Amino acid sequence: MKKLIPYIFVIPPFLFVAIFIAYPLGYSFFLSFSQYNYIYDQVPKLIGLSQYINLFKADNRFLTALFNTLVFGGVYFFSVMFFSLVIAFVLNELTRGKFFFQLSTYLPIIVPLSLAGVIFVWILDPTFGIFNFLLKKLGFSQLSTINWLGNYDTALYALVVIKLWKFMGFTVVIFLAGLQSIPSSLSDAAKVDGANFFQEKLYVILPNLKEYTLIAALYSIIQAIKIFELPYVATGGGPGNATLTLYLYAWRVAFGYFKMGKASAIAYVTAGLIILLTMVVTWTLGERKKEK
C-alpha cells in the first residue's frame, strides 16, 4: 500500500494537466488541419496543410495581422530592451531616492493591461485628453490635434507606448539585478585603466549581462507577440485593420465567424512565430557567449 501512496498524490495533477492542457492542445492542433464551423458543422472536416496554405495565399486579413504583429513586436522588443537597460543604468548609479524610483518604475506592472488600455484611451483622446492638452501648452499645436489611437499611421505605435509603460518595469528589474550582481571592482579597474563612462558600460558591464539580457529578451519576445487586450480595448483592431494582430484575429475568427479550425491554425502560427524568434535570440546570445 505504501508503494501506491506516491502515485495517489501524482494522479490529481496528472489528470489536471491531461484534461485542461494536453487534451485542448492536441485537439486544437487537430482542428488546425480541419475545416470546422462549430455552429453549422457536426464534425470537423480534415483538409490537411491547405488550411495553413490558404492563410498565407488567400487571406489578406491574416497577412495584415501578421505584418502588424511583426511591426509591433519589432518596435516593442528593441524599445523595451534599450530603454530598460538605460533606466537600469541610471537607477544603479543613484545614491538618493533609489527605492522610490525603482518602485515607480515597477508599479505599472500591477495594472491590468485591459485597464491600462482604457486609461490611455482617455489620456490620448484628441478632444479632452491630457496628452494633447500638454502638447498644445508646450507649443506643439500641430501634434496636439492628432488622434493617436484613431490615426492609421500612429495607432499601432501608440499601443507600443502603452505596453512599454505597462511592462518595462519588469525588464528594468531584470537588468538591475544583473548590474547589482557585477562586482564593483570591475568598474573600478576600468576607470583606473582610463575608460570613460560609456566605454565602461559598453566593454565591461554589458559583456557581463549576457545571461540577464537573455532572460529579458525571452520575456520581451513573448510580450511583443502576445498582443490582444490592448487592440481589443483601445482600438478594436482599427482604424481599418491598422492594429489587427494575430491574437485578435484568431479571437475574431473563432468567436465572431465560428471557424474554430481556422482560428486554431492562426493560433499555432502565432505560437510558431514565438518559438522561432525565441530560438533566434537564444542562438544569437549563446553564440556570443561561446565566442567569448
Side-chain angles (χ1 to χ4, degrees):
M1 184 63 183
K2 290 184 178 180
K3 293 181 179 180
L4 295 177
I5 293 178
Y7 296 99
I8 294 174
F9 283 103
V10 168
I11 288 174
F14 175 79
L15 290 176
F16 179 86
V17 171
I19 296 173
F20 295 104
I21 299 178
Y23 173 73
L25 280 175
Y27 187 60
S28 63
F29 185 70
F30 165 75
L31 286 179
S32 69
F33 296 97
S34 305
Q35 183 177 335
Y36 181 50
N37 185 311
Y38 61 88
I39 297 296
Y40 302 105
D41 299 331
Q42 293 184 350
V43 294
K45 179 182 177 182
L46 191 64
I47 58 174
L49 288 174
S50 60
Q51 181 83 277
Y52 290 90
I53 295 173
N54 290 334
L55 282 178
F56 287 93
K57 290 185 64 176
D59 193 335
N60 291 330
R61 285 189 180 181
F62 168 79
L63 295 177
T64 300
L66 178 60
F67 176 78
N68 291 341
T69 301
L70 290 174
V71 171
F72 180 95
V75 175
Y76 173 82
F77 176 78
F78 289 108
S79 297
V80 75
M81 293 296 288
F82 175 77
F83 288 113
S84 296
L85 187 59
V86 171
I87 293 173
F89 278 138
V90 173
L91 291 177
N92 194 51
E93 296 292 330
L94 291 178
T95 56
R96 292 184 178 180
K98 179 180 289 189
F99 176 77
F100 171 78
F101 289 107
Q102 287 179 357
L103 185 63
S104 301
T105 304
Y106 190 75
L107 271 180
I109 204 169
I110 69 175
V111 179
L113 191 54
S114 56
L115 179 58
V118 173
I119 292 172
F120 274 89
V121 166
W122 286 73
I123 292 175
L124 298 176
D125 188 274
T127 305
F128 52 79
I130 186 65
F131 183 69
N132 280 14
F133 175 78
L134 292 176
L135 287 177
K136 187 175 182 180
K137 289 296 182 181
L138 293 173
F140 300 101
S141 299
Q142 292 182 343
L143 294 178
S144 65
T145 60
I146 297 176
N147 185 355
W148 300 99
L149 290 172
N151 188 298
Y152 193 92
D153 296 323
T154 61
L156 191 65
Y157 302 103
L159 295 184
V160 172
V161 173
I162 299 172
K163 194 151 191 177
L164 281 174
W165 174 83
K166 158 73 174 170
F167 287 105
M168 189 164 58
F170 189 81
T171 48
V172 168
V173 170
I174 294 174
F175 281 124
L176 196 58
L179 290 173
Q180 293 176 353
S181 69
I182 298 175
S184 59
S185 57
L186 291 177
S187 297
D188 296 337
K191 293 175 182 176
V192 170
D193 290 338
N196 58 36
F197 178 83
F198 295 102
Q199 290 174 332
E200 173 199 345
K201 302 305 180 187
L202 184 61
Y203 298 111
V204 178
I205 303 300
L206 282 180
N208 288 281
L209 282 177
K210 289 274 177 32
E211 290 79 6
Y212 296 91
T213 302
L214 178 59
I215 295 172
L218 295 179
Y219 175 79
S220 299
I221 285 174
I222 295 173
Q223 295 301 326
I225 304 301
K226 195 183 70 174
I227 173 72
F228 170 75
E229 298 97 325
L230 275 181
Y232 179 79
V233 171
T235 63
N241 290 322
T243 57
L244 181 66
T245 60
L246 288 174
Y247 262 72
L248 181 58
Y249 187 47
W251 179 86
R252 280 187 182 177
V253 171
F255 302 106
Y257 309 137
F258 313 117
K259 298 179 180 179
M260 193 58 69
K262 183 177 180 179
S264 298
I266 298 171
Y268 274 97
V269 169
T270 308
L273 184 61
I274 293 175
I275 294 171
L276 177 62
L277 294 175
T278 300
M279 290 174 62
V280 170
V281 170
T282 304
W283 177 82
T284 302
L285 294 178
E287 283 294 308
R288 290 179 181 177
K289 184 178 178 182
K290 184 178 180 181
E291 290 174 4
K292 177 184 173 184

